[in-house]
Amino acid sequence: MSLTVAVDANGGDHGIRVSIPASLAALRKHPSLSLILCGAEAELRAALAREKAGNLQSRITILNATQTVDSNEPPVQALRGKKNSSMRRAIDMVKEKRADACVSAGNTGALMAMARFVLKTLPGIARPAIFATLPRMGGRVHVLDLGANVESPPELLLQFAVMGAILVRYVEGKPAPTVGLLNIGVEDIKGNETIKQAAELMRASNLNYTGFVEGDAIYTGDVDLVVCDGFVGNVALKTSEGLAQMLNHILREEFRRNFMRKLSALCAMPVMRAVKQRTDHRRYNGATLLGLRGIVIKSHGSADALGFRHAIDQAVREVNNRVPQHIESELRSMLAVGEGEGEASE
Amino acid sequence: MSLTVAVDANGGDHGIRVSIPASLAALRKHPSLSLILCGAEAELRAALAREKAGNLQSRITILNATQTVDSNEPPVQALRGKKNSSMRRAIDMVKEKRADACVSAGNTGALMAMARFVLKTLPGIARPAIFATLPRMGGRVHVLDLGANVESPPELLLQFAVMGAILVRYVEGKPAPTVGLLNIGVEDIKGNETIKQAAELMRASNLNYTGFVEGDAIYTGDVDLVVCDGFVGNVALKTSEGLAQMLNHILREEFRRNFMRKLSALCAMPVMRAVKQRTDHRRYNGATLLGLRGIVIKSHGSADALGFRHAIDQAVREVNNRVPQHIESELRSMLAVGEGEGEASE
């Protein structure tokens, strides 16, 4: 099946220095993939020549977009003033059905605001959520929401769970993924009212809901999907990033302390490489803005070419597995909602 | 200055197997320290003999407490039904001024409920918070609340900040500790209404408030004190524990994969030991239930004797630095509250 992904070539800390090599790597990996690169045409053409795109160019369309969304630009401002930005044009391609998905490493808030405005949410979904995959002891774990919503009532947490479970089912091939609700204890009495009511809704649903999980269970537990409010999820994710960074820093310091330590670093290198490989955040790059009428993938702003290519891979997987279509068709029965509750009908 | 700490000898996963060796180690470390050990008298005497307490026994008083609070016991049930538990008796010792502080590795919820009921909060403090210290790139960081409160309005977050800053000032010897508010972005527009209002209150206070921090800044930033809601703080802490556990697990697996790897483990051992030493959670054990009319220290339930001794050390530091007295005397001017808002006057 041939498919097309639109790439916001300017987004992220590194812009085309990362998005172009990543795009070419994705084209090499997926023979049925075509790309629409959104950005300043002259710069894109120069970058493609520099990266020796060769005959891969036959699967590339360039869409000239003269504006760039800044990383700290308020979403509302980007939404109003950046209609010809590379980010906006990539989303437009999905809306106009010229692309099956889009990928951006740009400003998350602006991406979410534009994607909601242009694509709208799926019927029955009040607000989209950010879904990502993380390494876990003995496998992978999926978490949402990672920051799209700063306050999530119980009904919204249920919607996150339903959407996340469908994505895990079709993309990861797990027929009945287990779902846990992130809380500050595993007993029923623990947590605030929102979380207790969300638990009741999940128990009453046909999700494979297994109960509350605590923060450590993200990395050491055995549920496939961890559901939480965006504020909590974002803090958990960023805290993890900080801890990993600190441990890495301390490890480097200790391996460089003296000559003997430097020798031991050489000797431990295969182990360090293996650990790095198994926990490499680049392999998990590519978060999904879930709940939209279209596939929008957010790459980490600081991703390198390998990381960005993984974000494109995620877009390809979701297109091939028809994730939004499955969510839309299954939502009605799972949530038992009426028609027209999505944003399109507003 | 001589001081007395009451120890809940039964609390935690390991009970007296950990609390007794830890108590003896603390007595050896602090010559002016006396301990009141609360637990079943016969068992305590047997454990002291087994651990060769010798003449340290002259600084030990045993308080016979026949009940134990279970780790999963609901706080309300423990509060009503466990009046002769080792936990309750240790808190009673503080109330009766027979001890300057108490330490428990038991059920956090029950400890908080009992401590609030017996000791009451300080004037001007609506609810206590859990304060802990963590390793940070290049130093230590202090965080509260780590789970005492599942919902914290802005005024409560301000109280946490004020109390935490006083503790850091007197125990860590930093005259004007920097204070950050945990959020999902550093810009003013980020976060929910609670966090935005809390930021306004902090800016208007005489705290050394430096603005929002994201989760990664806990470990890589440079603020002395990170303030957050108990739900968020607990998830951040537990998530960190899980990530550290997973990384440790992967490292062990890789170092044991084959003969050459095992050799390289030997060679990397000094580095691994140094990293472990620098990040050893046992050295950071001992969270403070802050805001009470008395010092209550919570040890991690799974702490070993070294960890538990660090929790007793923390109690000693807070007694020596007169933390509750400083909070009480400084609170009025910092918070500008009227008298009698604490629980004692209810």
Side-chain angles (χ1 to χ4, degrees):
Chain A
M1 189 178 89
S2 80
L3 76 165
T4 304
V5 172
V7 172
D8 166 10
N10 292 347
D13 303 350
H14 311 295
I16 58 171
R17 288 199 308 283
V18 155
S19 63
I20 299 306
S23 294
L24 297 177
L27 289 170
R28 282 185 205 105
K29 186 175 176 188
H30 307 284
S32 59
L33 174 67
S34 296
L35 294 178
I36 302 174
L37 302 182
C38 307
E41 181 160 5
E43 284 177 35
L44 287 176
R45 295 222 178 274
L48 288 171
R50 206 164 48 234
E51 299 285 340
K52 303 185 176 43
N55 57 14
L56 292 175
Q57 297 206 51
S58 65
R59 289 191 274 140
I60 293 174
T61 306
I62 288 180
L63 185 70
N64 190 32
T66 52
Q67 293 177 304
T68 300
V69 175
D70 297 326
S71 62
N72 287 320
E73 194 164 347
V76 177
Q77 189 181 308
L79 187 58
R80 288 187 191 147
K82 296 288 175 73
K83 285 175 190 162
N84 197 30
S85 60
S86 52
M87 179 186 283
R88 174 63 180 268
R89 298 300 287 135
I91 298 168
D92 288 343
M93 292 301 97
V94 179
K95 174 70 182 173
E96 295 166 17
K97 310 259 185 237
R98 291 172 59 191
D100 301 291
C102 67
V103 177
S104 173
N107 182 329
T108 311
L111 184 67
M112 182 58 91
M114 284 183 181
R116 270 187 76 165
F117 177 78
V118 174
L119 301 174
K120 312 297 179 198
T121 59
L122 288 166
I125 295 300
R127 278 161 19 209
I130 300 177
F131 170 103
T133 300
L134 296 171
R136 180 186 79 185
M137 236 185 246
R140 292 150 69 84
V141 61
H142 311 277
V143 188
L144 87 168
D145 172 28
L146 290 173
N149 302 282
V150 292
E151 257 156 335
S152 310
E155 298 73 23
L156 201 61
L157 290 170
L158 177 64
Q159 293 189 358
F160 295 169
V162 169
M163 294 193 295
I166 293 171
L167 198 157
V168 174
R169 181 167 357 139
Y170 289 100
V171 173
E172 304 286 323
K174 298 204 171 191
T178 50
V179 178
L181 196 53
L182 192 59
N183 197 359
I184 65 169
V186 295
E187 303 87 15
D188 287 348
I189 56 153
K190 290 289 174 72
N192 53 34
E193 277 315 303
T194 303
I195 222 77
K196 288 179 199 170
Q197 286 172 25
E200 272 180 47
L201 293 178
M202 298 218 190
R203 269 192 293 268
S205 74
N206 55 8
L207 288 167
N208 189 5
Y209 174 67
T210 58
F212 291 139
V213 294
E214 293 187 83
D216 54 341
I218 295 173
Y219 296 106
T220 65
D222 55 9
V223 295
D224 297 312
L225 180 69
V226 175
V227 177
C228 57
D229 168 67
F231 194 103
V232 171
N234 186 279
V235 167
L237 185 73
K238 293 272 176 71
T239 302
S240 300
E241 286 179 12
L243 177 58
Q245 223 176 310
M246 179 186 77
L247 291 174
N248 198 34
H249 175 85
I250 289 177
L251 206 58
R252 277 161 182 271
E253 264 189 7
E254 292 300 332
F255 267 128
R256 287 170 184 174
R257 200 168 280 285
N258 56 42
F259 180 71
M260 283 304 291
R261 290 283 184 86
K262 283 174 191 162
L263 265 184
S264 77
L266 277 179
C267 153
M269 205 177 288
V271 169
M272 293 302 142
R273 277 219 188 103
V275 172
K276 200 179 167 188
Q277 158 80 6
R278 284 175 65 179
T279 57
D280 191 349
H281 56 83
R282 297 177 302 178
R283 290 173 55 210
Y284 296 90
N285 189 40
T288 304
L289 305 197
L290 200 57
L292 297 164
R293 297 172 189 245
I295 297 169
V296 181
I297 305 293
K298 168 72 174 81
S299 164
H300 201 291
S302 68
D304 65 5
L306 177 60
F308 199 97
R309 199 215 70 207
H310 275 283
I312 301 176
D313 290 348
Q314 179 67 19
V316 170
R317 272 193 295 272
E318 294 190 20
V319 174
N320 284 340
N321 292 293
R322 302 169 47 81
V323 169
Q325 292 86 338
H326 282 299
I327 293 180
E328 188 165 357
S329 72
E330 298 200 11
L331 218 51
R332 218 153 286 163
S333 64
M334 286 187 86
L335 285 177
V337 291
E339 278 181 47
E341 289 191 31
E343 285 179 328
S345 59
E346 279 171 12
Chain B
M1 189 178 91
S2 80
L3 76 165
T4 303
V5 172
V7 172
D8 166 11
N10 292 348
D13 303 350
H14 311 295
I16 59 171
R17 288 198 310 282
V18 154
S19 63
I20 299 307
S23 294
L24 297 177
L27 289 170
R28 281 184 206 105
K29 186 176 177 189
H30 306 284
S32 58
L33 175 66
S34 296
L35 294 177
I36 301 174
L37 302 182
C38 306
E41 182 161 5
E43 284 177 35
L44 287 176
R45 294 219 179 277
L48 288 171
R50 206 164 49 235
E51 298 287 339
K52 303 186 175 45
N55 56 15
L56 291 175
Q57 299 207 51
S58 65
R59 290 192 274 140
I60 293 175
T61 306
I62 289 179
L63 186 69
N64 191 31
T66 52
Q67 293 177 303
T68 299
V69 174
D70 297 327
S71 63
N72 287 320
E73 195 164 348
V76 177
Q77 190 180 309
L79 187 58
R80 287 186 193 147
K82 295 289 175 75
K83 285 176 190 161
N84 196 31
S85 61
S86 52
M87 179 186 283
R88 174 62 180 266
R89 298 301 285 134
I91 297 169
D92 288 342
M93 291 303 96
V94 178
K95 174 70 181 171
E96 296 168 17
K97 310 258 186 242
R98 290 172 60 192
D100 302 291
C102 67
V103 178
S104 173
N107 181 329
T108 311
L111 184 68
M112 181 58 91
M114 283 183 181
R116 272 187 74 165
F117 177 78
V118 173
L119 300 174
K120 313 298 180 197
T121 59
L122 288 166
I125 294 301
R127 276 159 25 205
I130 299 177
F131 170 103
T133 299
L134 296 169
R136 181 186 78 183
M137 236 186 245
R140 292 150 68 85
V141 62
H142 311 278
V143 188
L144 86 170
D145 173 29
L146 289 173
N149 302 282
V150 292
E151 257 156 332
S152 310
E155 298 72 24
L156 201 62
L157 291 170
L158 177 65
Q159 294 189 357
F160 296 170
V162 169
M163 295 193 295
I166 293 171
L167 198 158
V168 173
R169 181 167 357 141
Y170 288 101
V171 173
E172 304 287 321
K174 299 204 172 192
T178 49
V179 178
L181 197 52
L182 192 59
N183 197 359
I184 66 168
V186 295
E187 302 87 15
D188 288 349
I189 57 154
K190 291 289 175 72
N192 53 34
E193 277 315 304
T194 303
I195 221 77
K196 287 178 198 169
Q197 287 172 25
E200 271 181 47
L201 293 178
M202 298 216 190
R203 270 192 292 270
S205 74
N206 55 9
L207 288 166
N208 189 4
Y209 174 68
T210 58
F212 291 139
V213 294
E214 292 187 85
D216 54 341
I218 294 174
Y219 296 107
T220 65
D222 55 8
V223 295
D224 297 312
L225 180 69
V226 175
V227 176
C228 57
D229 168 69
F231 194 102
V232 172
N234 186 278
V235 168
L237 185 73
K238 293 271 175 70
T239 302
S240 300
E241 287 179 13
L243 177 58
Q245 223 176 308
M246 179 187 77
L247 292 175
N248 198 33
H249 174 85
I250 290 177
L251 205 58
R252 276 163 184 271
E253 264 188 8
E254 292 300 333
F255 266 128
R256 287 171 184 172
R257 199 167 281 284
N258 57 43
F259 179 71
M260 283 304 290
R261 290 285 184 87
K262 283 176 190 160
L263 265 185
S264 77
L266 277 179
C267 153
M269 204 179 287
V271 169
M272 293 302 141
R273 277 218 188 104
V275 172
K276 199 179 170 188
Q277 158 80 7
R278 284 175 64 180
T279 56
D280 190 349
H281 56 82
R282 297 178 302 177
R283 289 173 56 210
Y284 296 90
N285 189 41
T288 304
L289 307 198
L290 200 56
L292 297 164
R293 296 172 189 245
I295 297 168
V296 180
I297 305 293
K298 168 71 173 81
S299 164
H300 202 290
S302 68
D304 65 5
L306 177 60
F308 199 96
R309 201 216 68 207
H310 275 283
I312 301 176
D313 292 347
Q314 179 67 18
V316 169
R317 271 194 295 274
E318 294 190 21
V319 174
N320 285 340
N321 291 294
R322 301 171 47 80
V323 168
Q325 292 87 339
H326 282 299
I327 294 180
E328 188 165 358
S329 72
E330 297 200 12
L331 218 50
R332 219 152 286 164
S333 64
M334 286 187 85
L335 285 177
V337 293
E339 277 182 46
E341 288 191 33
E343 286 180 329
S345 60
E346 279 172 11

